[in-house]
Amino acid sequence: MSLYWRIFVLNAAVLVVAVLLLLGPVTVSTPVLFGEALVLLAGLIVMVIANAVLLRIALAPLARLNRAMATVDLLKPGSRTTVTGPGEIAELTTSFNTMLARLEAERATSSGRALSAQEAERQRLARELHDEVGQTLTAVLLQLKHTADHAPQPVRDDLRQAQETTRAGLDEIRRIARRLRPGVLEELGLYSALRALTAEFTTSSLSATAHITPGLPRLDPATELVLYRVAQEGLTNTARHTHATRVEVHLRALPEDRVGLLVRDNGQGIGAAPEGAGISGMRERALLIGAEFQIGQGPHGGTEIRLNVTGHAAADRTQETAR
């Protein structure tokens, strides 16, 4: 029975009951007596309550669907509304679940294109910083050295200071270029890249260490890049926001031929703070390779970031791409 006819029948039943009461022993005087008014008022209240309860039962599946629509998050895929209710409500719920699956697939595709374009732009910027700005600053360093060697003593100290400032700027540009384009990931692989990454974030106030389990399943380059970027973003958030003194990066084997990345610190945690662009970016990267992503407070405080990927699935994607 359609929703229209269900509501019609419910209201018609209430009205039929009211008419049957009028045909019964109940009488109404003119003017209305106090006892008769109480009976009519009680009957009206009963009919209104009955109508409200019956409508609530009939429309409950729509209310659940409305809540699901209001709380759905495409960055946390997999949630579906249970198909309940008769007729149009079940069809509407099924259509919503189908639309949600299509939106998740389209978002994953568009996110993949956006992230690929972002990586290409990172590589372009890194090359320009290294080849153009880096070479220019190197030439400036050489020119400053030549000038300082032939300058009078009062000016020489200032030129030496300018040399040090230029050299510091050159080192910073090279550091930025390495973060934009992880050359060590392409040349030496994920394990060496993670160790180099933690060494880069180690300072006098923050100890960063990498723990990698040997014999991990083979991963394709796209998956390795996602693991590296998630670890990089986790370390960046730790260094900037958590006031931690220790952070650990674990890459280890999990059951069912999976690989797990864990970034854990001893900082103040994320608490109830809303997720920013960094965490959203990590979720999108996880969706790109079909990985499980979790972020929250660790058992002993601090923040834990977990990313679990499937080794064989990643390798299968590489073979399919090669075909």
Side-chain angles (χ1 to χ4, degrees), residues 17-305:
V17 171
V19 172
L20 290 177
L21 289 176
L22 292 177
L23 296 177
V26 178
T27 58
V28 179
S29 303
T30 304
V32 180
L33 300 177
F34 180 73
E36 296 172 343
L38 289 179
V39 172
L40 291 175
L41 180 61
L44 178 61
I45 293 175
V46 169
M47 287 190 294
V48 170
I49 293 176
N51 191 47
V53 170
L54 293 175
L55 285 177
R56 186 175 185 85
I57 295 174
L59 299 178
L62 281 179
R64 288 194 294 270
L65 181 60
N66 181 57
R67 288 193 297 270
M69 289 180 176
T71 57
V72 68
D73 186 356
L74 294 180
L75 288 178
K76 300 176 182 178
S79 61
R80 296 292 184 269
T81 303
T82 304
V83 179
T84 57
E88 293 95 334
I89 298 180
E91 293 177 1
L92 180 61
T93 305
T94 302
S95 299
F96 171 72
N97 289 336
T98 303
M99 180 193 68
L100 193 58
R102 185 173 66 251
L103 287 176
E104 289 175 354
E106 291 177 354
R107 182 181 179 89
T109 302
S110 61
S111 296
R113 293 172 181 169
L115 291 174
S116 297
Q118 184 184 77
E119 289 297 331
E121 185 66 12
R122 283 172 176 258
Q123 293 185 2
R124 185 188 68 81
L125 289 174
R127 283 194 300 268
E128 290 187 0
L129 286 173
H130 183 272
D131 298 340
E132 301 295 334
V133 181
Q135 291 183 3
T136 300
L137 288 179
T138 301
V140 170
L141 273 175
L142 294 175
Q143 185 64 37
L144 285 173
K145 182 179 183 305
H146 175 77
T147 305
D149 291 340
H150 297 83
Q153 185 61 39
V155 183
R156 187 174 303 172
D157 293 338
D158 292 338
L159 291 174
R160 299 294 186 194
Q161 183 63 38
Q163 272 186 278
E164 294 303 319
T165 303
T166 305
R167 184 175 290 107
L170 180 59
D171 292 340
E172 180 66 17
I173 286 177
R174 288 173 177 170
R175 183 184 63 81
I176 294 173
R178 285 196 303 270
R179 287 194 177 184
L180 287 173
R181 180 174 180 263
V184 65
L185 178 62
E186 300 174 0
E187 298 168 3
L188 301 178
L190 179 62
Y191 305 163
S192 298
L194 289 178
R195 291 190 177 96
L197 186 64
T198 53
E200 184 179 345
F201 277 89
T202 298
T203 62
S204 59
S205 58
L206 178 64
S207 172
T209 55
H211 306 272
I212 300 174
T213 303
L216 295 175
R218 183 169 58 92
L219 301 172
D220 68 286
T223 302
E224 289 188 347
L225 181 60
V226 169
L227 288 167
Y228 179 86
R229 290 301 189 194
V230 170
Q232 184 182 48
E233 184 64 35
L235 289 170
T236 301
N237 288 342
T238 297
R240 289 181 179 176
H241 307 300
T242 65
H243 305 290
T245 59
R246 186 181 69 256
V247 58
E248 300 174 353
V249 177
H250 295 263
L251 189 66
R252 54 193 177 182
L254 299 176
E256 301 178 358
D257 197 40
R258 296 184 301 161
V259 177
L261 174 71
L262 171 64
V263 182
R264 177 170 55 198
D265 63 51
N266 64 342
Q268 62 185 8
I270 59 175
E275 294 187 357
I279 297 178
S280 298
M282 287 189 282
R283 290 192 183 278
E284 290 185 353
R285 290 184 183 277
L287 290 176
L288 181 61
I289 60 173
E292 301 173 4
F293 176 83
Q294 295 178 349
I295 182 170
Q297 185 173 350
H300 305 291
T303 303
E304 282 192 355
I305 298 173

